[in-house]
Amino acid sequence: NKVKKDRKVVTFFVTLQSLVTKELQEEIEGNTNNGAILTGFRAAGCRVRVVPPNLTALKLDAKIIVRPDQNNETIKRAIKEAVVDFVGQLDIGEQLRPSALTTHLMTTQPILACTLFKQNTDNVLETVYPASAKHVLRSTLGDIIVSLKI
């Protein structure tokens, strides 16, 4: 059930991105039949093609220490959502700095400590760079595994 919800989020993002791309293309091209409606911004004789960025999935593990007065499962869910929101705000071609994400989690969530790892490994997460300036990093709730440190 969670996987289906995550796929819907990604599908929604891609659909929304396609709609925005189409609107942006129309804004740049203008109305070729009636320039008074929408003049456009490209120079005559030039072709401009708007292409959406390629999505690069970011998968990670977060190991946390929760304050004793907090509900562990609620905090795990909140951490996942906070990571997805943080990654979703990254710009096209922008890298993910683990220190910035950790600072964000420590200041917005009731946790005492947080360490980020590459998913299913014991390797600490290092700066993640998109493949090119045409790629954007994104995560879903299913891409994030949150566990408690002992």
Side-chain angles (χ1 to χ4, degrees):
N1 191 16
K2 287 182 182 179
V3 173
K4 288 182 183 178
K5 287 181 183 177
D6 289 344
R7 285 186 184 156
K8 287 180 184 176
V9 170
V10 171
T11 303
F12 173 75
F13 175 75
V14 171
T15 303
L16 181 63
Q17 195 173 32
S18 299
L19 292 173
V20 171
T21 302
K22 182 179 177 190
E23 286 184 18
L24 184 58
Q25 183 74 45
E26 289 173 358
E27 188 73 25
I28 291 171
E29 292 289 327
N31 188 329
T32 54
N33 296 326
N34 186 352
I37 295 174
L38 185 61
T39 57
F41 293 97
R42 69 174 175 85
C46 295
R47 293 295 305 163
V48 176
R49 195 175 118 208
V50 179
V51 181
N54 296 317
L55 297 177
T56 302
L58 175 70
K59 299 181 180 193
L60 60 89
D61 293 348
K63 297 192 181 185
I64 59 172
I65 297 176
V66 179
R67 292 182 181 163
D69 60 334
Q70 300 295 321
N71 180 328
N72 292 344
E73 295 307 313
T74 303
I75 298 303
K76 284 181 181 182
R77 175 72 180 191
I79 293 286
K80 285 183 175 190
E81 291 173 353
V83 170
V84 170
D85 289 343
F86 185 86
V87 173
Q89 293 177 10
L90 294 175
D91 228 350
I92 300 168
E94 186 177 357
Q95 77 254 7
L96 171 75
R97 292 176 302 139
S99 60
L101 178 53
T102 301
T103 300
H104 173 72
L105 294 174
M106 294 293 295
T107 56
T108 61
Q109 304 300 318
I111 56 176
L112 300 173
C114 177
T115 308
L116 303 173
F117 295 90
K118 293 179 184 176
Q119 196 167 61
N120 299 320
T121 70
D122 289 330
N123 300 330
V124 175
L125 186 68
E126 297 176 359
T127 301
V128 180
Y129 296 93
S132 74
K134 297 177 183 179
H135 286 75
V136 64
L137 298 172
R138 291 295 179 256
S139 286
T140 63
L141 296 177
D143 293 335
I144 313 301
I145 297 173
V146 179
S147 58
L148 301 175
K149 286 184 183 179
I150 297 177

